[in-house]
Amino acid sequence: MDGTITGEKHGSSSRMIRMEAIVAEHETALLRYATRILNNPFAAQDVVQNVFIKLFKGWKKGMRPSKQLKSWLYRVTHNEAIDHIRRESRHRLLHKRHAEEKANDCPDGDNCPVTHDERREMVLGLLRKLQPREQQVVLLRLEEGLSYREISEITGRSEGSVGNILHHAVRKLAKSLNVS
Amino acid sequence: MNADGNMKCEEIRELLTRYLLGDLDEATASEVGAHLEKCDGCRAAAREIEPTLDLLRDALAAPSKAPEHLTSLQYQRIINIRPVSIRRTVKERLSRISQIDWWITKHHRPLAVAAAALVVVGFFWVLIGSMVPMFKMGEVVSGLEPAAVQIMEPEAIEELDEIEEIKEIPPVPSEPIDEVFTPDVSMPHETPPATPPSDFSPQPAEFDAVAIIKSPVIMKGIYGSRSPGMRGSTLRQYGGGMAGEAEQEFFAEEDLPLEITFAEPQDRDEVMTKRKKGKAKSEEKSVKRIAVGDKKGNESERGDFIAMGPASVVEEQLLSEEQSAKLQALLSGIQLPKRESISEQARREREKVEEARKRTLKKLDKIVIPEINFKQANIRDVVDFLTEATVEFDSSADPDEKKGANIILNLPSAAAPIEPPDIFAEPEDEADLKSVGVETPLITFSARYISTLEALKIVTEVANLKYNINGENISVVPRDAPEGDIIVRAYDVLPSAKEDLPADGQEDLSLKQFFAGTGVRWPAGSSIKYIPSIGKLVVANTEDNLEAFENVLAELNVREEEPPEEAKVEEKDLTGPRFKAVGVNPFYSVSERPFSTFAIDVDTAAYTLTRNYMQRGFLPPAEAVRTEEFVNFFDYAYKPPLRKTFRIYTECAPSKFGRGLHLLKIGVKGKRLGREEKRSAALTFVIDTSGSMNTFDRIGLVKKSLHMLIERLAPSDRIAIIQFGSHARLILDHTFVSEKEKILASVDGLQTSGSTNLEEAMKLAYHIAARNFAGGFANRILVMSDGAANLGAGAAEEILNAVEQFSGQGIYCSVFGFGIGTYNDEMLEVLANKGDGTYTFIDSEEEAKRVFVDDLAATLNTIGSDVKIQVQFNPKVVKCYRQLGYENRQLKKEQFRDDTVDAGEVGSGQAVTALYEMQLQADDRRQSTEDSDILATVRVRYRRADNGVVEEMERAVRISDVMPSFDEAGQRFRLAACVAEFAEILRACPHAAGSTYEDVAKAFRPVALELNLDKRVGELLRMVENASGMSRGNF
């Protein structure tokens, strides 16, 4: 068995090296991105794994990562993460999560964030409640630091529309922050 | 935009976020700015969202709990993906499977595995509809065969060949039972009251009615899925069962792990290191092979767990080596409290319980059940079967002893105090348990000649339960059931380890995982948290587990135990600049210490930094002044050697400032590379785009510098750009400078935001640089930062180690500091030192031009590395000496010829100047011998960059070379003396006490006059003249 395995590995080694390089280059950013959306590092790892599996399944001989690779990865990660949430939401886990986030909502005084960390958590909780596309744009711009052109590549929207979504997302956040 | 160029309020408001983020182009931004001046409404709108943006940025800059990497198992899975084949459906299933067993292997936590049973249940529901609990007791075959045990593997059920193979396994020696069953770390405490099912009777007769299930899902009884969502998808996936052929393919593709091994508790010590492969292991003491099928799997040993999985499982569960190394380092900072010894009585009580436990264990191991064949059997039935079997097959010779053992099933019901795991979330009433309850795990497993103990292990493992032995009672409980009351204990954490610990109150899974790997269990309700406000690591667990935890800590913690004192945290001022005082070289007596050895340093940052301070009207903090960097900033007009790599220049004259002292100036000049000698450059820029860089003298200057530099590079040079704020990202992979427009567009597109994650940036930079390493090129990383890095001490060290390692392999690192205020001088200098690069502070466009245009060749082209200088003073001539500066570059005498010692690097045409103050012996005490003419011998040792050869050269300083007076010495000599004295006063050097800036100015004015063409000299004169009126700045 050893013989066959090594033989095969040798044959596809250059592809594997390239695959490894792609994973190494993008995994951290994608994991970070997915964790923000899912608020669950393990689910994020799962999602990112599936993204790479999706990518390499379609890999053919001699293929090279194109310039759009990063955009593709971000886009698919977003979709997979949203899928994951939807899948999850059919089950009780979501209720649990809602309950947790409710606690962060700061109704009248009791749960109001006191410490810096609590405030951060609240902001992140609110961020997760935005529409997926709003969340996407906010994260890509403010956390990942991507340019509008890159975000437009990922989302398939025009740069102007990315800007507008961002603005509305920020305003939404401002509103909910002011209410609480 | 309106035709007249004025935008309406609505349009403006849409742009506000982008305006505040600085994302608009200049024209639009100025228009919005102008509008905001006039329009109150829009200003209010902007004020409304501005704090939100700040909050958002702040929240996103907080350390993310995101893992940095996929697990190695996931990684394997990705890498092993083969391109789409014909059998697409199988492929799709494959990806599902990978998800499922990922869940379990990743976590291997009780909760995770709990789902397994339900998968099986669900499967059965779909497949058979209804199910009757059953098992089969095989006939007793008089024991001839070795106690090889096998879990029926789907293929193996049919393929008898495989079973034959199993028989070939060498028998496991059966003697060392005592050794094998040393007590579990997890000692059971109290067994909750048992509720044995009363209405059950074995139904072996029904066995024939059950179809043999051949589907991978059966094996998944050991695997599991973690969330209900996953469960759902699994059901969908396998609801219809798999066709035989597809199944074959499935196994072939996935390389499913089919080897299971047991490790007994005492193997725990080895757990961390064991990475053995193959079958040979089965002959070793306590490890027993339970099932063998495909050969791919690694042995995974982990306490008394069964673990199965592909080769990477071990790392998976035990963390990667790197991770555990880091954790270990971190944990060694946790202090163990001194514990009073347990009272004698309690101890005896424990021993008694322990003894009974050992007896029971031994007994269980001796009772061999000839054959077990469970097919989707209810756990209750299984337990009852086992209880009966212990009685039936108990061949104990001792008639006094009670036959058999009492196994009690204690699963959670609604009333149970244990919080049920998700999977048991909707327990049905006790009355329903008789039927195949959804909440009771089903077990499929067959074995021959298996000891009850092993059977119990497998059964509980498969059903995601565990067994506790308390005296003579054996109870089967959910795996996460605590074995006693949860106790909370707090451990002091050394301040040094604090930065590595996870943020406030957050539970750290990696910590849990780490300890789980060393055998500490984490039942429901347990936790491990670090609480910074009290500086303690708070661990909640049962007493036994806490003890195990402390044992692990004690092993990791080599330090002497210290009384649990309130840890003192040094208040660090994180906002101000940080400089490290390096002390001042003392006078050494030549007779005692004739050699002065140091690594060269061509940095100049301290000078430019000082200049920046003084231009703002302040003197720099004393610690920010490094004399050698002042001296090296100036040009001493050494002629570059033509052939050799270096040339040594020496000059000596009475000192102007130290009474009765002589000053020795040593210059080492590197050759200037011709055009054809210059190597092409592969440059990886690491550009700080954190929020603190967002001023013109920082990011603006960085962009200008890059423009200048790119203009000077050859088309064959390559550039990559990494920008980093809260996170690092590659904005331009290695691109030839011939594509200048593309590079410049990337430079101009740099936008600032976030914090300063230098750590991530350096990791990425070395990754990119290594990937694009070009032989024969000057491979270099250029860091441009204001140095306000949010680095933990541990992280800094990690980076520095990596930097050092890479520089040994030819990737150098140069650091350019920009901006002042939050400037972390120390960090950047060390970074450059370790990276064998220069550290330059850039405070102005002029300085940028000097570094990136005039001295670019020196910056990029190294001619010699590990350059060291040794001066041997002649005790007959020199009484004592003191080196000015180079305090943090001192080497031991013997390190001079040790070529492994890391030292400084010199670029093309660069020069280094070192100064010594000496007290000479009185003339009459000099003995006129042969060598009495020689004052000192200067040696330079270096490694040539072009061929890697280490060379050494030397030059003697003769008494006849010494100038009779300071004023007769050369202009550049006097310049150096003044510069050094200025620096010495600035850094409050005790040897310069009594000298004033005015003294320096007085000596310096004639020099400045003679050197009036050198702009830097004039600038220095102004600085010296202004210095007396200034006070020290501290920001």
Side-chain angles (χ1 to χ4, degrees), chain A residues 102-140:
Chain A
K102 266 252 163 66
N104 286 331
D105 256 7
C106 175
D108 274 313
D110 278 1
N111 284 314
C112 269
V114 189
T115 67
H116 193 185
D117 284 340
E118 281 168 5
R119 205 180 59 223
R120 282 175 165 174
E121 267 313 305
M122 187 184 75
V123 174
L124 292 176
L126 290 172
L127 179 61
R128 275 192 294 276
K129 284 192 183 160
L130 292 177
Q131 300 254 323
R133 59 181 180 136
E134 292 169 335
Q135 214 184 101
Q136 185 184 25
V137 169
V138 170
L139 287 177
L140 290 177

Side-chain angles (χ1 to χ4, degrees), chain A residues 7-27:
Chain A
E8 201 213 308
K9 273 190 180 158
H10 184 73
S12 57
S13 66
S14 75
R15 195 185 109 241
M16 262 172 63
I17 287 168
R18 254 178 286 148
M19 279 161 66
E20 276 172 21
I22 289 173
V23 174
E25 187 176 332
H26 297 284
E27 60 174 346

Side-chain angles (χ1 to χ4, degrees), chain B residues 344-360:
Chain B
E344 188 64 13
Q345 198 192 346
R347 202 175 56 82
R348 236 177 286 141
E349 205 123 289
R350 273 191 162 198
E351 269 174 14
K352 240 164 95 187
V353 176
E354 181 58 24
E355 236 169 71
R357 203 181 90 89
K358 271 188 188 166
R359 264 204 315 277
T360 315

Side-chain angles (χ1 to χ4, degrees), chain A residues 15 20 25 27-28 32 39 42 45 50 57 59 116 119 141 143-146 148 164 167 174, chain B residues 13 17-18 23 55 58 65 68-70 75 81 83-84 99 102 106-107 509 727 729 771:
Chain A
R15 195 185 109 241
E20 276 172 21
E25 187 176 332
E27 60 174 346
T28 309
R32 186 170 63 228
N39 196 23
F42 302 113
Q45 282 181 315
N50 290 346
K57 266 201 213 163
W59 188 289
H116 193 185
R119 205 180 59 223
R141 176 67 196 100
E143 171 147 50
E144 301 298 314
L146 301 183
Y148 288 85
N164 288 344
H167 177 64
Chain B
R13 287 188 193 177
T17 299
R18 271 165 284 177
D23 291 350
L55 281 174
D58 172 69
K65 57 187 168 183
E68 256 180 65
H69 303 290
L70 294 170
Y75 188 72
I81 286 287
V84 173
Q99 278 185 345
W102 173 75
K106 168 75 181 83
H107 305 291
L509 285 166
H727 303 293
R729 60 193 197 94
R771 199 177 67 188

Side-chain angles (χ1 to χ4, degrees), chain A:
Chain A
M1 135 249 168
D2 281 317
T4 54
I5 295 289
T6 45
E8 201 213 308
K9 273 190 180 158
H10 184 73
S12 57
S13 66
S14 75
R15 195 185 109 241
M16 262 172 63
I17 287 168
R18 254 178 286 148
M19 279 161 66
E20 276 172 21
I22 289 173
V23 174
E25 187 176 332
H26 297 284
E27 60 174 346
T28 309
L30 294 181
L31 284 168
R32 186 170 63 228
Y33 181 54
T35 306
R36 283 276 187 241
I37 300 174
L38 294 164
N39 196 23
N40 176 351
F42 302 113
Q45 282 181 315
D46 194 31
V47 161
V48 172
Q49 172 197 252
N50 290 346
V51 171
F52 282 120
I53 286 180
K54 247 187 184 169
L55 172 68
F56 296 135
K57 266 201 213 163
W59 188 289
K60 295 201 189 68
K61 245 196 177 156
M63 224 158 96
R64 288 194 147 270
S66 79
K67 275 185 191 160
Q68 278 84 45
L69 176 66
K70 195 168 76 182
S71 303
W72 187 91
L73 286 171
Y74 271 112
R75 185 166 62 234
V76 178
T77 304
H78 181 255
N79 294 344
E80 285 274 322
I82 298 299
D83 277 357
H84 184 97
I85 290 176
R86 290 198 178 131
R87 226 167 30 227
E88 202 186 55
S89 70
R90 296 199 200 101
H91 299 276
R92 297 182 325 112
L93 273 186
L94 189 79
H95 301 305
K96 223 162 134 194
R97 213 184 67 165
H98 273 327
E100 277 165 17
E101 286 183 5
K102 266 252 163 66
N104 286 331
D105 256 7
C106 175
D108 274 313
D110 278 1
N111 284 314
C112 269
V114 189
T115 67
H116 193 185
D117 284 340
E118 281 168 5
R119 205 180 59 223
R120 282 175 165 174
E121 267 313 305
M122 187 184 75
V123 174
L124 292 176
L126 290 172
L127 179 61
R128 275 192 294 276
K129 284 192 183 160
L130 292 177
Q131 300 254 323
R133 59 181 180 136
E134 292 169 335
Q135 214 184 101
Q136 185 184 25
V137 169
V138 170
L139 287 177
L140 290 177
R141 176 67 196 100
L142 291 175
E143 171 147 50
E144 301 298 314
L146 301 183
S147 70
Y148 288 85
R149 189 180 47 73
E150 287 167 305
I151 299 173
S152 114
E153 237 171 60
I154 292 167
T155 57
R157 297 169 207 277
S158 73
E159 288 180 39
S161 131
V162 167
N164 288 344
I165 292 173
L166 179 65
H167 177 64
H168 287 284
V170 171
R171 269 183 50 200
K172 246 193 209 177
L173 285 176
K175 229 177 246 169
S176 29
L177 282 169
N178 281 342
V179 166
S180 51

Side-chain angles (χ1 to χ4, degrees), chain A residues 36 120 143, chain B residues 56-64 726-727 754-755 790:
Chain A
R36 283 276 187 241
R120 282 175 165 174
E143 171 147 50
Chain B
L56 246 181
R57 272 191 285 207
D58 172 69
L60 290 174
S64 161
S726 302
H727 303 293
S755 54
N790 50 356

